[in-house]
Structures are given as structure tokens and as C-alpha cells.
């Protein structure tokens, strides 16, 4: 079991295990957020918040909701707009202790142009 949290601690992410890889995307929003995404089924991730501190941002076709703490501003995860328990949910590994980045392989995804992994 691994737990990450936003800077102020209002949003906690609990995952059962680490993924083998973490994805760095260069699309217009991920490049600005500097996220490292780990992909899970929504049912695998427990999100705990002390109050209603989650706000979200969506753009373009509005298929993805980028979720952040409305108090400290950290982007913690993204969800699909039409989410179900089997839907993909991406957690931001930057919310976890930095030592876990040594345990996963980082991959670069070209979300800006080709929609392919660059490695």
C-alpha cells in the first residue's frame, strides 16, 4: 500500500501497488503541470479528502478532468469525464515520496504531436 498527498495534505491518494512505469507527457497541459502519471482502474485508487477540497479543470473535448486541491493547488490525479469503477484513473506520482521514482521506469509520451511513446 502506498500513500501520496497534496502539499497541504487535504487530498490523499492510496494505491495498492506501484505501476511498472510512470508516464511523462509533453502535451500542452501535462508539460505545464510537470506530472508523472501512473495508471490504475478507478476502483483500485482510494481518494481521501478532509473536506470538499477537490476542484477540476477540463478543456478541449472535455474527456479528462484534471483534479487538484483547491487549497494548495497541487494536481493530484485525473479522471475520465464518463468515469466508472473500471475506468482509467491516473495518479500523479509527484504526490508521493520521491524515492518511489527509483522503483518505476519513466516513459515519455508525445501527447503534443504523435500520440506515441518516444522510447
Amino acid at each position: 500500500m502506498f500513500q501520496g498527498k497534496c502539499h497541504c495534505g487535504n487530498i490523499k491518494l492510496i494505491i495498492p501497488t506501484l505501476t511498472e512505469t510512470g508516464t511523462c507527457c509533453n502535451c500542452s497541459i501535462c508539460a505545464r503541470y510537470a506530472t508523472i502519471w501512473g495508471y490504475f482502474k478507478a476502483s483500485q485508487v482510494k481518494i481521501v479528502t478532509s473536506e470538499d477540497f477537490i476542484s477540476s479543470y477540463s478543456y478541449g473535448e472535455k474527456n479528462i478532468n484534471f483534479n487538484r486541491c483547491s487549497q494548495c493547488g497541487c494536481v493530484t490525479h485525473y479522471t475520465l469525464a464518463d468515469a466508472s469503477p473500471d475506468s482509467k484513473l491516473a495518479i500523479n506520482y509527484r504526490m508521493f515520496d520521491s524515492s518511489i521514482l527509483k522503483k518505476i521506469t519513466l516513459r515519455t509520451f508525445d501527447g503534443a504531436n504523435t500520440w506515441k511513446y518516444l522510447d
Side-chain angles (χ1 to χ4, degrees):
M1 197 69 63
F2 295 87
Q3 180 176 300
K5 62 182 179 178
C6 64
H7 190 259
C8 69
N10 283 320
I11 298 174
K12 293 177 183 65
L13 304 168
I14 302 167
I15 54 175
T17 187
L18 300 176
T19 54
E20 290 183 22
T21 61
T23 300
C24 301
C25 178
N26 66 356
C27 77
S28 63
I29 195 153
C30 291
R32 286 170 172 83
Y33 287 157
T35 52
I36 298 174
W37 299 117
Y39 302 107
F40 294 85
K41 286 184 178 181
S43 60
Q44 295 177 295
V45 180
K46 183 175 180 180
I47 299 169
V48 179
T49 180
S50 56
E51 292 184 32
D52 191 22
F53 281 110
I54 296 178
S55 62
S56 65
Y57 172 73
S58 186
Y59 71 101
E61 295 178 6
K62 301 195 183 299
N63 295 327
I64 297 174
N65 297 319
F66 292 92
N67 298 283
R68 64 185 174 274
C69 176
S70 58
Q71 186 162 316
C72 68
C74 288
V75 175
T76 55
H77 62 290
Y78 80 64
T79 54
L80 300 179
D82 60 350
S84 73
D86 289 330
S87 295
K88 178 172 67 173
L89 184 147
I91 55 99
N92 182 1
Y93 274 130
R94 298 252 188 226
M95 300 299 110
F96 293 74
D97 186 279
S98 62
S99 65
I100 67 164
L101 296 178
K102 296 175 185 169
K103 298 176 183 179
I104 61 175
T105 301
L106 297 181
R107 299 186 71 197
T108 301
F109 183 75
D110 185 13
N113 296 303
T114 65
W115 280 83
K116 295 180 182 177
Y117 282 95
L118 298 177
D119 51 318

